[in-house]
Amino acid sequence: MAGTALAAGVLTVAATLSLGLAVVGGAAVTAQRTAGAADAAALAAADAVSGAVATETDPCALAARVAAASDATLSHCRIDGLAATVEVKSAYAGLVAASRARAGPPEQS
């Protein structure tokens, strides 16, 4: 009887740890996907501003479309000359991942 209770306890702890690790792993993957979405959105906006991509769409609207294609939401977009700075957010299991990216010519020192 004691062995059965011990085995049940060990299985409960193992299941809880496995679930926790799965959530942490999923959050890490979401953070990386969010960073990629931010990079792509910033590049799209900067390309639209510089004329590298022929579009009549507002650069921030284009960045929002690119972010949405990665299941993320554009929360901030700023165009400064030929540079674009964006912030993108996405959620996983109640956790929100946010990432910022900048694209454009190098900043002047």
Coordinates of all heavy atoms in Angstrom, one line a residue:
M1 N 0.8 -1.2 0.0 CA 0.0 0.0 0.0 C 0.9 1.3 0.0 O 0.6 2.2 -0.7 CB -0.9 -0.1 1.2 CG -2.2 0.5 1.2 SD -3.2 0.0 -0.3 CE -4.6 1.0 0.1
A2 N 1.9 1.3 0.8 CA 2.8 2.4 0.9 C 3.5 2.7 -0.5 O 3.7 3.8 -0.9 CB 3.8 2.3 2.0
G3 N 3.9 1.6 -1.1 CA 4.5 1.7 -2.4 C 3.6 2.3 -3.5 O 4.1 3.0 -4.3
T4 N 2.3 2.0 -3.4 CA 1.4 2.5 -4.4 C 1.2 4.0 -4.2 O 1.2 4.8 -5.1 CB 0.0 1.8 -4.2 OG1 0.2 0.4 -4.3 CG2 -1.0 2.3 -5.2
A5 N 1.1 4.4 -2.9 CA 1.0 5.9 -2.6 C 2.3 6.6 -3.0 O 2.2 7.7 -3.6 CB 0.7 6.1 -1.1
L6 N 3.4 6.0 -2.8 CA 4.7 6.6 -3.2 C 4.8 6.8 -4.7 O 5.1 7.8 -5.3 CB 5.9 5.8 -2.7 CG 7.2 6.4 -3.1 CD1 7.5 7.8 -2.5 CD2 8.3 5.4 -2.6
A7 N 4.4 5.7 -5.4 CA 4.4 5.7 -6.9 C 3.4 6.8 -7.4 O 3.7 7.5 -8.4 CB 4.0 4.3 -7.4
A8 N 2.3 6.9 -6.8 CA 1.3 7.9 -7.3 C 1.9 9.3 -7.0 O 1.7 10.2 -7.9 CB 0.0 7.7 -6.5
G9 N 2.5 9.5 -5.9 CA 3.1 10.8 -5.6 C 4.2 11.1 -6.6 O 4.3 12.3 -7.1
V10 N 5.1 10.2 -6.9 CA 6.2 10.4 -7.9 C 5.6 10.7 -9.3 O 6.1 11.6 -10.0 CB 7.1 9.2 -7.9 CG1 8.1 9.3 -9.1 CG2 7.9 9.0 -6.6
L11 N 4.6 10.0 -9.7 CA 4.0 10.3 -11.0 C 3.3 11.6 -11.0 O 3.4 12.3 -12.0 CB 2.9 9.2 -11.3 CG 3.5 7.8 -11.7 CD1 2.4 6.8 -11.9 CD2 4.3 8.0 -13.0
T12 N 2.7 12.1 -9.9 CA 2.1 13.4 -9.9 C 3.1 14.5 -10.0 O 3.0 15.4 -10.8 CB 1.3 13.5 -8.6 OG1 0.3 12.5 -8.5 CG2 0.7 14.9 -8.5
V13 N 4.2 14.3 -9.3 CA 5.3 15.3 -9.4 C 5.9 15.3 -10.8 O 6.2 16.4 -11.3 CB 6.4 15.0 -8.3 CG1 7.7 15.8 -8.6 CG2 5.9 15.2 -6.9
A14 N 6.1 14.2 -11.4 CA 6.7 14.1 -12.7 C 5.8 14.7 -13.7 O 6.2 15.5 -14.6 CB 7.0 12.6 -13.1
A15 N 4.5 14.5 -13.6 CA 3.5 15.1 -14.5 C 3.5 16.6 -14.4 O 3.4 17.3 -15.4 CB 2.1 14.5 -14.3
T16 N 3.5 17.1 -13.1 CA 3.5 18.5 -12.9 C 4.7 19.2 -13.5 O 4.7 20.2 -14.1 CB 3.4 18.8 -11.4 OG1 2.2 18.2 -10.9 CG2 3.4 20.3 -11.1
L17 N 5.9 18.6 -13.3 CA 7.2 19.1 -13.8 C 7.1 19.1 -15.4 O 7.6 20.1 -16.0 CB 8.4 18.4 -13.3 CG 8.7 18.6 -11.8 CD1 9.9 17.7 -11.4 CD2 9.1 20.0 -11.6
S18 N 6.6 18.1 -15.9 CA 6.5 18.0 -17.4 C 5.6 19.1 -18.0 O 6.0 19.7 -19.0 CB 6.0 16.6 -17.8 OG 6.9 15.6 -17.4
L19 N 4.5 19.3 -17.3 CA 3.6 20.4 -17.8 C 4.3 21.7 -17.6 O 4.2 22.6 -18.6 CB 2.3 20.3 -17.0 CG 1.2 21.3 -17.4 CD1 0.8 21.1 -18.8 CD2 0.0 21.2 -16.4
G20 N 4.9 22.0 -16.5 CA 5.6 23.2 -16.3 C 6.7 23.5 -17.4 O 6.9 24.6 -17.9
L21 N 7.5 22.4 -17.7 CA 8.5 22.5 -18.7 C 7.9 22.8 -20.1 O 8.5 23.5 -20.9 CB 9.4 21.3 -18.7 CG 10.3 21.2 -17.5 CD1 11.1 19.8 -17.5 CD2 11.3 22.3 -17.4
A22 N 6.8 22.2 -20.4 CA 6.2 22.4 -21.7 C 5.7 23.8 -21.8 O 5.9 24.4 -22.9 CB 5.0 21.4 -21.8
V23 N 5.2 24.4 -20.8 CA 4.8 25.8 -20.8 C 6.0 26.7 -21.0 O 6.0 27.7 -21.8 CB 4.0 26.2 -19.5 CG1 3.7 27.7 -19.5 CG2 2.6 25.5 -19.5
V24 N 7.1 26.5 -20.2 CA 8.3 27.3 -20.4 C 8.8 27.2 -21.8 O 9.3 28.2 -22.4 CB 9.3 26.9 -19.3 CG1 10.6 27.5 -19.6 CG2 8.8 27.3 -17.9
G25 N 8.9 26.0 -22.3 CA 9.4 25.7 -23.7 C 8.5 26.5 -24.7 O 9.1 27.1 -25.6
G26 N 7.2 26.4 -24.5 CA 6.3 27.1 -25.5 C 6.5 28.6 -25.4 O 6.5 29.3 -26.4
A27 N 6.7 29.1 -24.2 CA 6.9 30.5 -24.0 C 8.2 31.0 -24.7 O 8.3 32.0 -25.3 CB 6.9 30.9 -22.6
A28 N 9.3 30.1 -24.6 CA 10.5 30.5 -25.2 C 10.4 30.5 -26.7 O 10.9 31.4 -27.4 CB 11.6 29.5 -24.8
V29 N 9.7 29.5 -27.3 CA 9.4 29.5 -28.7 C 8.7 30.7 -29.2 O 9.0 31.4 -30.2 CB 8.7 28.2 -29.1 CG1 8.2 28.3 -30.6 CG2 9.6 27.0 -29.0
T30 N 7.7 31.1 -28.4 CA 6.9 32.3 -28.7 C 7.7 33.6 -28.7 O 7.6 34.4 -29.5 CB 5.7 32.4 -27.7 OG1 4.9 31.3 -27.9 CG2 4.8 33.7 -28.0
A31 N 8.6 33.6 -27.7 CA 9.5 34.8 -27.7 C 10.4 34.9 -28.9 O 10.6 36.0 -29.5 CB 10.4 34.7 -26.4
Q32 N 10.9 33.8 -29.4 CA 11.7 33.8 -30.6 C 10.9 34.1 -31.8 O 11.4 34.9 -32.7 CB 12.4 32.4 -30.8 CG 13.5 32.2 -29.7 CD 14.6 33.2 -29.8 OE1 15.1 33.5 -30.9 NE2 14.9 33.7 -28.7
R33 N 9.7 33.6 -31.9 CA 8.8 33.9 -33.0 C 8.4 35.4 -33.0 O 8.4 36.0 -34.1 CB 7.6 33.1 -33.0 CG 7.8 31.7 -33.4 CD 6.5 30.9 -33.4 NE 6.7 29.5 -33.8 CZ 5.9 28.5 -33.6 NH1 4.7 28.8 -33.1 NH2 6.2 27.3 -34.0
T34 N 8.2 36.0 -31.9 CA 7.9 37.4 -31.7 C 9.1 38.2 -32.2 O 8.9 39.2 -32.9 CB 7.5 37.7 -30.3 OG1 6.4 36.9 -29.9 CG2 7.1 39.2 -30.2
A35 N 10.3 37.8 -31.8 CA 11.5 38.6 -32.3 C 11.6 38.5 -33.8 O 11.9 39.5 -34.4 CB 12.7 38.0 -31.6
G36 N 11.4 37.4 -34.4 CA 11.4 37.3 -35.8 C 10.3 38.1 -36.5 O 10.6 38.7 -37.5
A37 N 9.1 38.1 -35.9 CA 8.1 39.0 -36.5 C 8.4 40.4 -36.4 O 8.1 41.2 -37.3 CB 6.8 38.7 -35.7
A38 N 9.0 40.9 -35.3 CA 9.4 42.3 -35.1 C 10.5 42.6 -36.2 O 10.4 43.7 -36.8 CB 10.0 42.5 -33.7
D39 N 11.5 41.8 -36.4 CA 12.5 42.0 -37.4 C 11.9 42.2 -38.8 O 12.2 43.1 -39.5 CB 13.5 40.9 -37.4 CG 14.4 40.9 -36.2 OD1 14.5 41.9 -35.5 OD2 15.1 39.9 -35.9
A40 N 11.0 41.2 -39.1 CA 10.4 41.3 -40.4 C 9.5 42.5 -40.6 O 9.5 43.1 -41.7 CB 9.5 40.0 -40.7
A41 N 8.8 42.9 -39.6 CA 7.9 44.0 -39.7 C 8.7 45.3 -39.8 O 8.4 46.2 -40.6 CB 7.0 44.1 -38.4
A42 N 9.8 45.4 -39.1 CA 10.7 46.6 -39.2 C 11.3 46.7 -40.6 O 11.4 47.8 -41.2 CB 11.8 46.6 -38.1
L43 N 11.7 45.6 -41.1 CA 12.3 45.6 -42.4 C 11.3 46.0 -43.5 O 11.6 46.7 -44.4 CB 12.9 44.2 -42.8 CG 14.2 43.9 -42.0 CD1 14.6 42.4 -42.2 CD2 15.4 44.7 -42.6
A44 N 10.1 45.5 -43.4 CA 9.0 45.8 -44.3 C 8.7 47.3 -44.3 O 8.6 47.9 -45.4 CB 7.8 45.0 -44.0
A45 N 8.6 47.8 -43.1 CA 8.3 49.3 -43.0 C 9.5 50.1 -43.6 O 9.3 51.1 -44.3 CB 8.1 49.6 -41.5
A46 N 10.7 49.7 -43.2 CA 11.9 50.5 -43.7 C 12.0 50.4 -45.2 O 12.3 51.4 -45.9 CB 13.1 50.0 -43.0
D47 N 11.7 49.2 -45.8 CA 11.8 49.1 -47.2 C 10.7 49.9 -47.9 O 10.9 50.5 -49.0 CB 11.6 47.6 -47.6 CG 12.8 46.8 -47.4 OD1 13.9 47.4 -47.2 OD2 12.8 45.5 -47.5
A48 N 9.5 50.0 -47.3 CA 8.4 50.8 -47.9 C 8.8 52.3 -47.8 O 8.6 53.0 -48.8 CB 7.1 50.5 -47.1
V49 N 9.4 52.7 -46.7 CA 9.8 54.1 -46.6 C 10.9 54.5 -47.6 O 10.9 55.6 -48.2 CB 10.3 54.4 -45.2 CG1 11.0 55.7 -45.1 CG2 9.1 54.5 -44.2
S50 N 11.9 53.6 -47.7 CA 13.0 53.9 -48.6 C 12.7 53.8 -50.1 O 13.4 54.2 -50.9 CB 14.2 53.0 -48.3 OG 13.9 51.7 -48.7
G51 N 11.6 53.1 -50.4 CA 11.2 52.9 -51.8 C 11.8 51.7 -52.4 O 11.6 51.4 -53.6
A52 N 12.4 50.9 -51.5 CA 13.0 49.6 -52.0 C 11.9 48.6 -52.4 O 12.1 47.7 -53.3 CB 13.8 48.9 -50.9
V53 N 10.7 48.8 -51.8 CA 9.5 48.0 -52.2 C 8.4 49.0 -52.7 O 8.1 50.0 -51.9 CB 9.0 47.2 -50.9 CG1 7.6 46.6 -51.3 CG2 10.0 46.2 -50.5
A54 N 8.0 48.8 -53.9 CA 7.0 49.7 -54.4 C 5.6 49.4 -53.8 O 5.1 48.3 -54.1 CB 6.9 49.6 -55.9
T55 N 5.1 50.3 -53.0 CA 3.8 50.1 -52.4 C 3.2 51.5 -52.1 O 3.9 52.4 -51.8 CB 3.9 49.3 -51.1 OG1 2.6 49.1 -50.6 CG2 4.8 49.9 -50.1
E56 N 1.9 51.5 -52.2 CA 1.2 52.7 -51.8 C 0.6 52.6 -50.4 O 0.0 53.5 -49.9 CB 0.1 53.0 -52.8 CG 0.6 53.3 -54.2 CD -0.5 53.6 -55.1 OE1 -1.7 53.8 -54.7 OE2 -0.2 53.7 -56.3
T57 N 0.9 51.5 -49.7 CA 0.4 51.3 -48.3 C 1.3 52.0 -47.4 O 2.5 52.1 -47.5 CB 0.5 49.8 -48.0 OG1 -0.2 49.1 -49.0 CG2 0.0 49.5 -46.6
D58 N 0.7 52.6 -46.3 CA 1.4 53.2 -45.2 C 2.5 52.2 -44.7 O 2.1 51.0 -44.4 CB 0.5 53.6 -44.1 CG 1.1 54.2 -42.9 OD1 1.9 55.2 -43.1 OD2 1.0 53.6 -41.8
P59 N 3.7 52.6 -44.4 CA 4.7 51.7 -43.9 C 4.3 51.0 -42.6 O 4.6 49.8 -42.4 CB 5.9 52.6 -43.7 CG 5.7 53.7 -44.6 CD 4.3 53.9 -44.7
C60 N 3.6 51.7 -41.7 CA 3.2 51.1 -40.5 C 2.1 50.1 -40.7 O 2.0 49.0 -40.0 CB 2.8 52.1 -39.4 SG 4.3 53.0 -38.8
A61 N 1.2 50.4 -41.7 CA 0.2 49.4 -42.0 C 0.8 48.1 -42.6 O 0.3 47.0 -42.3 CB -0.8 50.0 -43.0
L62 N 1.8 48.3 -43.4 CA 2.5 47.2 -44.0 C 3.2 46.4 -42.9 O 3.1 45.1 -42.9 CB 3.5 47.7 -45.0 CG 4.3 46.6 -45.8 CD1 3.3 45.7 -46.6 CD2 5.3 47.2 -46.7
A63 N 3.8 47.1 -41.9 CA 4.4 46.4 -40.8 C 3.4 45.6 -40.0 O 3.7 44.4 -39.6 CB 5.2 47.4 -39.9
A64 N 2.2 46.1 -39.8 CA 1.2 45.4 -39.1 C 0.7 44.2 -39.9 O 0.5 43.1 -39.2 CB 0.0 46.4 -38.9
R65 N 0.6 44.2 -41.2 CA 0.3 43.1 -42.0 C 1.3 42.0 -41.9 O 1.0 40.8 -41.8 CB 0.1 43.4 -43.4 CG -1.3 44.1 -43.7 CD -1.6 44.3 -45.2 NE -0.7 43.7 -46.1 CZ -0.4 44.3 -47.3 NH1 -0.9 45.5 -47.6 NH2 0.3 43.7 -48.2
V66 N 2.6 42.4 -41.9 CA 3.7 41.4 -41.8 C 3.7 40.8 -40.4 O 3.9 39.6 -40.3 CB 5.1 42.1 -42.1 CG1 6.2 41.2 -41.7 CG2 5.1 42.5 -43.5
A67 N 3.5 41.6 -39.4 CA 3.4 41.0 -38.0 C 2.2 40.1 -37.9 O 2.3 39.0 -37.3 CB 3.3 42.1 -37.0
A68 N 1.1 40.4 -38.4 CA -0.1 39.6 -38.4 C 0.1 38.2 -39.1 O -0.4 37.2 -38.7 CB -1.3 40.3 -39.0
A69 N 0.9 38.2 -40.1 CA 1.3 37.0 -40.8 C 2.0 36.0 -39.9 O 2.0 34.8 -40.2 CB 2.1 37.3 -42.1
S70 N 2.6 36.5 -38.9 CA 3.4 35.7 -37.9 C 2.6 35.5 -36.6 O 3.1 35.2 -35.6 CB 4.7 36.4 -37.6 OG 5.5 36.4 -38.7
D71 N 1.3 35.8 -36.7 CA 0.4 35.6 -35.5 C 0.8 36.6 -34.4 O 0.8 36.2 -33.2 CB 0.3 34.2 -35.0 CG -0.4 33.3 -36.0 OD1 -1.3 33.8 -36.7 OD2 -0.1 32.1 -36.1
A72 N 1.3 37.7 -34.7 CA 1.7 38.7 -33.7 C 0.9 40.0 -34.0 O 0.3 40.2 -35.1 CB 3.2 39.0 -33.8
T73 N 1.0 40.9 -33.1 CA 0.3 42.2 -33.2 C 1.3 43.3 -33.1 O 2.1 43.4 -32.2 CB -0.8 42.4 -32.0 OG1 -1.6 41.2 -32.0 CG2 -1.6 43.6 -32.2
L74 N 1.2 44.3 -34.0 CA 2.0 45.4 -34.0 C 1.5 46.4 -32.9 O 0.3 46.8 -33.0 CB 2.0 46.1 -35.4 CG 2.9 47.3 -35.5 CD1 4.4 46.9 -35.5 CD2 2.6 48.1 -36.8
S75 N 2.3 46.7 -31.9 CA 1.8 47.6 -30.9 C 2.4 49.0 -30.9 O 1.8 49.9 -30.4 CB 2.1 47.0 -29.5 OG 3.5 46.8 -29.3
H76 N 3.5 49.2 -31.7 CA 4.1 50.5 -31.8 C 4.8 50.5 -33.1 O 5.5 49.5 -33.5 CB 5.0 50.8 -30.7 CG 5.7 52.1 -30.8 ND1 5.1 53.3 -30.5 CD2 7.0 52.4 -31.1 CE1 6.0 54.2 -30.7 NE2 7.1 53.7 -31.1
C77 N 4.7 51.6 -33.8 CA 5.5 51.8 -35.1 C 5.9 53.3 -35.2 O 5.0 54.1 -35.1 CB 4.6 51.4 -36.3 SG 5.5 51.6 -37.9
R78 N 7.2 53.5 -35.4 CA 7.6 54.9 -35.6 C 8.5 55.0 -36.8 O 9.5 54.1 -36.9 CB 8.3 55.4 -34.3 CG 8.6 56.9 -34.4 CD 9.3 57.4 -33.2 NE 10.8 57.2 -33.4 CZ 11.6 56.7 -32.5 NH1 11.2 56.2 -31.4 NH2 12.9 56.5 -32.8
I79 N 8.3 55.9 -37.6 CA 9.1 56.1 -38.8 C 9.9 57.4 -38.6 O 9.4 58.4 -38.2 CB 8.3 56.3 -40.1 CG1 7.4 55.1 -40.3 CG2 9.2 56.5 -41.3 CD1 8.1 53.8 -40.5
D80 N 11.2 57.3 -38.7 CA 12.1 58.4 -38.5 C 13.1 58.5 -39.7 O 14.1 57.8 -39.7 CB 12.9 58.3 -37.2 CG 13.7 59.5 -36.8 OD1 13.4 60.6 -37.3 OD2 14.7 59.4 -36.1
G81 N 12.7 59.3 -40.6 CA 13.5 59.4 -41.9 C 13.4 58.1 -42.7 O 12.2 57.7 -43.0
L82 N 14.5 57.4 -42.9 CA 14.4 56.1 -43.6 C 14.4 54.9 -42.6 O 14.5 53.8 -43.1 CB 15.6 56.0 -44.6 CG 15.6 57.0 -45.7 CD1 16.9 56.8 -46.5 CD2 14.4 56.8 -46.6
A83 N 14.4 55.2 -41.3 CA 14.4 54.1 -40.3 C 13.0 53.9 -39.8 O 12.2 54.7 -39.6 CB 15.4 54.5 -39.2
A84 N 12.8 52.6 -39.5 CA 11.5 52.2 -38.9 C 11.8 51.4 -37.6 O 12.7 50.6 -37.5 CB 10.7 51.3 -39.8
T85 N 11.1 51.8 -36.5 CA 11.2 51.1 -35.2 C 9.8 50.6 -34.9 O 8.8 51.3 -34.9 CB 11.7 52.1 -34.1 OG1 12.9 52.7 -34.5 CG2 11.9 51.4 -32.8
V86 N 9.8 49.3 -34.6 CA 8.5 48.7 -34.3 C 8.6 47.9 -33.0 O 9.6 47.5 -32.6 CB 8.0 47.7 -35.4 CG1 7.9 48.5 -36.7 CG2 9.0 46.5 -35.6
E87 N 7.4 47.7 -32.4 CA 7.3 46.8 -31.3 C 6.1 45.8 -31.6 O 5.0 46.3 -32.0 CB 6.9 47.5 -30.0 CG 6.8 46.6 -28.8 CD 6.6 47.3 -27.5 OE1 5.5 48.0 -27.4 OE2 7.4 47.2 -26.6
V88 N 6.4 44.6 -31.4 CA 5.4 43.5 -31.7 C 5.1 42.7 -30.5 O 6.1 42.4 -29.7 CB 6.0 42.6 -32.9 CG1 5.1 41.4 -33.1 CG2 6.1 43.4 -34.1
K89 N 3.9 42.3 -30.3 CA 3.5 41.4 -29.1 C 2.8 40.2 -29.6 O 2.0 40.3 -30.6 CB 2.6 42.2 -28.2 CG 3.4 43.4 -27.5 CD 2.5 44.1 -26.5 CE 3.2 45.2 -25.9 NZ 2.4 45.9 -24.9
S90 N 2.9 39.1 -28.9 CA 2.1 37.9 -29.1 C 2.0 37.2 -27.8 O 2.8 37.4 -26.8 CB 2.7 37.0 -30.2 OG 4.0 36.6 -29.8
A91 N 1.0 36.4 -27.7 CA 0.7 35.7 -26.4 C 0.8 34.2 -26.5 O 0.5 33.6 -27.6 CB -0.7 36.1 -25.9
Y92 N 1.1 33.6 -25.4 CA 1.1 32.1 -25.3 C 0.7 31.7 -23.9 O 1.4 32.2 -22.9 CB 2.5 31.5 -25.7 CG 2.6 30.1 -25.4 CD1 2.0 29.2 -26.3 CD2 3.2 29.6 -24.3 CE1 2.1 27.8 -26.1 CE2 3.3 28.2 -24.1 CZ 2.8 27.3 -25.0 OH 2.9 26.0 -24.8
A93 N -0.3 31.0 -23.7 CA -0.7 30.4 -22.4 C -0.8 31.6 -21.3 O -0.4 31.4 -20.2 CB 0.3 29.4 -21.9
G94 N -1.4 32.7 -21.8 CA -1.6 33.8 -20.8 C -0.4 34.7 -20.6 O -0.4 35.7 -19.9
L95 N 0.8 34.3 -21.2 CA 2.0 35.1 -21.1 C 2.1 35.9 -22.4 O 1.9 35.5 -23.5 CB 3.2 34.2 -21.0 CG 3.2 33.2 -19.8 CD1 4.3 32.3 -19.9 CD2 3.2 34.0 -18.5
V96 N 2.6 37.2 -22.3 CA 2.8 38.1 -23.4 C 4.2 38.2 -23.7 O 5.0 38.6 -22.8 CB 2.1 39.4 -23.2 CG1 2.4 40.4 -24.3 CG2 0.6 39.3 -23.0
A97 N 4.6 38.0 -24.9 CA 6.0 38.3 -25.4 C 6.0 39.5 -26.2 O 5.2 39.7 -27.1 CB 6.5 37.1 -26.2
A98 N 7.0 40.4 -25.9 CA 7.1 41.6 -26.7 C 8.5 41.7 -27.2 O 9.5 41.3 -26.5 CB 6.8 42.8 -25.8
S99 N 8.7 42.3 -28.4 CA 10.0 42.4 -29.0 C 10.0 43.7 -29.8 O 9.0 44.1 -30.5 CB 10.3 41.2 -29.9 OG 11.6 41.3 -30.4
R100 N 11.1 44.4 -29.8 CA 11.3 45.6 -30.5 C 12.4 45.4 -31.6 O 13.4 44.6 -31.4 CB 11.8 46.8 -29.6 CG 10.7 47.2 -28.7 CD 11.1 48.5 -28.0 NE 10.1 48.9 -27.0 CZ 10.4 48.9 -25.7 NH1 11.6 48.7 -25.2 NH2 9.4 49.2 -24.9
A101 N 12.3 46.1 -32.7 CA 13.3 46.0 -33.8 C 13.3 47.3 -34.5 O 12.4 48.0 -34.6 CB 12.9 44.8 -34.7
R102 N 14.5 47.6 -35.1 CA 14.8 48.8 -35.8 C 15.4 48.3 -37.1 O 16.3 47.5 -37.2 CB 15.7 49.7 -35.1 CG 16.0 51.0 -35.9 CD 17.2 51.7 -35.3 NE 17.5 52.9 -36.1 CZ 18.3 52.9 -37.2 NH1 18.8 51.8 -37.6 NH2 18.5 54.0 -37.8
A103 N 15.0 49.0 -38.2 CA 15.6 48.7 -39.5 C 15.8 50.0 -40.3 O 14.9 50.9 -40.1 CB 14.7 47.7 -40.3
G104 N 16.8 50.1 -41.0 CA 17.1 51.3 -41.8 C 18.6 51.6 -41.8 O 19.4 50.7 -41.5
P105 N 19.0 52.7 -42.3 CA 20.4 53.0 -42.3 C 21.0 53.0 -40.9 O 20.3 53.2 -40.0 CB 20.5 54.4 -43.0 CG 19.1 54.8 -43.3 CD 18.1 53.8 -42.7
P106 N 22.3 52.9 -40.9 CA 23.0 52.9 -39.5 C 22.8 54.3 -38.9 O 22.7 55.3 -39.5 CB 24.5 52.7 -39.8 CG 24.5 52.1 -41.2 CD 23.3 52.6 -41.9
E107 N 22.7 54.2 -37.5 CA 22.5 55.5 -36.8 C 23.8 56.2 -36.8 O 24.9 55.7 -36.7 CB 22.1 55.1 -35.3 CG 20.7 54.5 -35.2 CD 20.3 54.2 -33.8 OE1 20.7 55.0 -32.9 OE2 19.6 53.3 -33.6
Q108 N 23.7 57.5 -36.9 CA 24.9 58.4 -36.9 C 25.3 58.6 -35.4 O 24.5 58.9 -34.6 CB 24.5 59.8 -37.5 CG 24.1 59.6 -39.0 CD 25.2 59.0 -39.9 OE1 26.3 59.3 -39.7 NE2 24.8 58.2 -40.8
S109 N 26.6 58.5 -35.2 CA 27.1 58.7 -33.8 C 27.5 60.1 -33.5 O 27.9 60.8 -34.3 CB 28.4 57.8 -33.6 OG 28.1 56.5 -34.0

